[in-house]
């Protein structure tokens, strides 16, 4: 199975959206996907300061998936900042279609991001993994990852849009 | 005491921001881990593609600290992306000096951050809190935040630079 790993282009957004939805289904949270291909294109390619960067893996030499696709994997990342160390990189998603796994694509994507991180003088790479996802956990631990939730006790918190709107309008609960 | 204002940071604030970063690190018992410099903050925050944005809380001159500082709080944030919902605002750090707490500065900063998030059409605000930090957890949950690590099982992972270099230089 021949493939290349390259930067995503605006015209890849429909295919990337297909892969995003597949990953959400695997993570048992498909009802949470509200984004569409147009939003993805606008936020990644339609602005001078893109909100994310994306790599894709594309089959070459005429190879296609069972359903006729050539885009079989994506990795979304962006630059973040640590008040202690400075520049860092955050991997939002890495997904390889099940029929294309065990061919080094996942590793290739993470390796490319690692190269970018080193080039851009980032001090570390961060990501979140669901606690039941043993496959993903093992993939990252094997490559030198530490589980900071266990080691240092960090929990991820979120303000949803309705809570944000309330806060913005000054509905103080002091 | 209500004589303060919340405003976007300027390049001249970098020394104060670093001072506050170190104070917060001290509170989290991680002071020796701060290797960031004023030069980094200046280059990374005020160049063509900023890595972060910052709000500061500034008191009137007559309320300055014993060391003559008027910048007494800060919040550092940047925009991130969720492929399911789109743009997010990520709150990296948020701190008000101990002697200036209890006057509503923290709430005011959070309100301003929420306004930035809504104006920038972000769908939510994310941030990390240490499990032992009960005052912070209460501050945020009282205002509608949910703990996704507990609710959905997300764990934070990190790959340090030495492993990044190792991976990057592999064949």
């Amino acid at each position: 199975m021949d493939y290349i790993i390259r930067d995503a282009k605006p015209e890849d957004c429909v295919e990337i959206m297909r892969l995003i939805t597949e990953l959400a289904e695997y993570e048992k949270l498909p009802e949470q996907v509200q984004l569409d291909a147009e939003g993805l294109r606008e936020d990644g390619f339609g602005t001078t300061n893109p909100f994310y960067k994306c790599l894709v893996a594309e089959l070459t030499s005429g190879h296609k998936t069972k359903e006729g696709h050539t885009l079989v994997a994506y990795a979304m990342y962006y630059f973040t900042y640590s008040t202690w160390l400075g520049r860092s990189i955050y991997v939002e998603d890495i997904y390889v279609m099940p029929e294309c796994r065990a061919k080094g694509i996942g590793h290739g994507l993470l390796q490319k991001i690692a190269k970018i991180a080193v080039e851009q003088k980032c001090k570390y790479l961060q990501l979140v993994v669901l606690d039941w996802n043993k496959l993903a956990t093992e993939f990252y631990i094997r490559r030198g990852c530490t589980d900071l939730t266990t080691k240092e006790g960090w929990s991820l918190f979120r303000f949803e849009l309705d809570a944000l709107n309330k806060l913005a309008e000054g509905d103080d609960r002091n | 005491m209500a004589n303060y204002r919340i405003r976007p940071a300027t390049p001249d604030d970098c020394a104060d921001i670093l001072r506050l970063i170190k104070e917060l690190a001290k509170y989290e018992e991680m002071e020796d881990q701060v290797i960031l410099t004023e030069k980094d903050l200046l280059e990374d925050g005020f160049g063509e593609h900023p890595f972060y944005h910052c709000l500061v809380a500034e008191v009137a001159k007559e309320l300055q600290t014993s060391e003559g500082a008027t910048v007494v709080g800060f919040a550092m944030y940047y925009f991130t992306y969720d492929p399911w919902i789109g743009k997010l605002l990520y709150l990296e750090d948020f701190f008000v000096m101990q002697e200036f707490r209890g006057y509503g500065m923290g709430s005011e900063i959070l309100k301003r951050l929420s306004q930035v998030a809504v104006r920038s059409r972000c769908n939510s605000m994310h941030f990390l809190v240490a499990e032992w930090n009960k005052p912070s957890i209460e501050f945020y949950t009282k205002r509608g935040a949910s703990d996704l690590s507990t609710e959905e099982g997300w764990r934070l992972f990190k790959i340090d630079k030495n492993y990044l270099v190792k991976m990057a230089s592999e064949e």
Side-chain angles (χ1 to χ4, degrees):
Chain A
M1 185 183 274
D2 295 332
Y3 63 89
I4 53 154
I5 288 174
R6 59 166 176 82
D7 288 332
K9 296 183 283 210
E11 48 269 34
D12 293 326
C13 287
V14 171
E15 280 292 276
I16 297 170
M17 207 58 234
R18 172 181 62 83
L19 296 168
I20 286 172
T21 311
E22 272 183 36
L23 177 53
E25 278 158 6
Y26 170 72
E27 284 173 341
K28 304 171 192 170
L29 299 162
E31 68 283 356
Q32 297 214 16
V33 181
Q34 298 164 31
L35 194 63
D36 59 20
E38 187 42 46
L40 196 63
R41 198 203 55 75
E42 177 61 35
D43 295 335
F45 303 94
T47 159
T48 44
N49 276 312
F51 285 87
Y52 70 86
K53 304 269 194 186
C54 198
L55 297 172
V56 293
E58 185 174 38
L59 298 179
T60 56
S61 311
H63 289 123
K64 285 193 170 147
T65 68
K66 286 195 296 261
E67 272 153 30
H69 300 293
T70 52
L71 232 61
V72 299
Y74 78 99
M76 183 183 275
Y77 67 95
Y78 38 80
F79 293 99
T80 55
Y81 209 71
S82 152
T83 45
W84 296 350
L85 306 173
R87 295 183 190 186
S88 41
I89 209 166
Y90 187 86
V91 176
E92 176 60 40
D93 268 353
I94 291 187
Y95 176 72
V96 181
M97 288 177 71
E99 68 193 84
C100 300
R101 288 185 196 158
K103 310 235 181 303
I105 295 178
H107 182 84
L109 287 165
L110 187 62
Q111 184 183 43
K112 183 82 198 278
I113 295 176
K115 283 191 173 140
I116 293 165
V118 171
E119 267 162 38
Q120 294 297 322
K121 300 196 200 100
C122 296
K123 301 295 191 307
Y124 59 77
L125 182 157
Q126 262 183 190
L127 51 118
V128 291
V129 184
L130 284 163
D131 55 9
W132 55 259
N133 195 341
K134 300 285 172 255
L135 247 144
T137 302
E138 267 165 43
F139 175 85
Y140 292 115
I141 299 278
R142 258 208 315 266
R143 288 155 178 84
C145 223
T146 356
D147 177 347
L148 290 190
T149 294
T150 300
K151 194 172 171 213
E152 292 179 11
W154 291 104
S155 285
L156 176 65
F157 273 59
R158 174 199 284 167
F159 277 112
E160 301 272 8
L161 192 54
D162 53 352
L164 273 184
N165 276 316
K166 280 203 177 107
L167 275 168
E169 286 153 30
D171 181 10
D172 280 331
R173 296 186 203 189
N174 270 336
Chain B
M1 187 213 13
N3 211 348
Y4 68 88
R5 60 180 183 131
I6 310 294
R7 59 166 177 77
T10 64
D12 295 331
D13 291 321
C14 288
D16 279 309
I17 296 169
L18 188 58
R19 172 179 56 82
L20 294 170
I21 284 170
K22 287 181 175 169
E23 264 194 55
L24 174 52
K26 205 169 165 181
Y27 167 69
E28 287 173 343
E29 290 161 18
M30 305 272 211
E31 203 184 351
D32 53 340
Q33 304 242 8
V34 180
I35 64 166
L36 199 64
T37 64
E38 256 179 69
K39 183 167 177 279
D40 292 328
L41 278 172
L42 192 62
E43 268 171 23
D44 298 337
F46 298 94
E48 200 188 328
H49 296 287
F51 280 80
Y52 72 87
H53 303 278
C54 205
L55 293 176
V56 294
E58 186 175 41
V59 296
K61 245 202 163 89
E62 56 268 24
L63 297 161
Q64 64 189 252
T65 69
S66 45
E67 273 118 43
T70 52
V71 171
V72 301
F74 82 103
M76 181 185 277
Y77 66 95
Y78 39 83
F79 296 98
T80 60
Y81 206 73
D82 180 320
W84 298 352
I85 55 178
K87 288 180 285 202
L88 307 176
L89 187 143
Y90 187 85
L91 178 55
E92 174 61 33
D93 257 355
F94 180 9
F95 177 73
V96 176
M97 288 174 73
Q98 185 129 26
E99 54 265 49
F100 290 91
R101 289 184 201 161
Y103 298 104
M105 273 190 226
S107 296
E108 192 57 34
I109 291 175
L110 195 59
K111 180 175 169 180
R112 282 286 292 265
L113 288 166
S114 309
Q115 288 169 348
V116 169
V118 170
R119 211 170 46 226
S120 312
R121 287 191 239 126
C122 293
N123 282 289
S124 65
M125 183 193 298
H126 279 193
F127 49 98
L128 297 172
V129 186
E131 287 163 354
W132 53 259
N133 195 341
K134 300 287 173 247
S136 289
I137 292 175
E138 231 187 84
F139 177 86
Y140 293 118
T141 48
K142 222 166 51 177
R143 287 158 177 80
S146 19
D147 177 348
L148 293 188
S149 284
T150 301
E151 275 179 36
E152 293 178 8
W154 293 101
R155 309 195 76 71
L156 177 66
F157 277 49
K158 177 174 82 159
I159 302 182
D160 276 326
K161 189 164 178 187
N162 50 333
Y163 287 107
L164 289 178
V165 170
K166 184 163 179 268
M167 252 194 291
S169 50
E170 268 170 15
E171 271 312 300

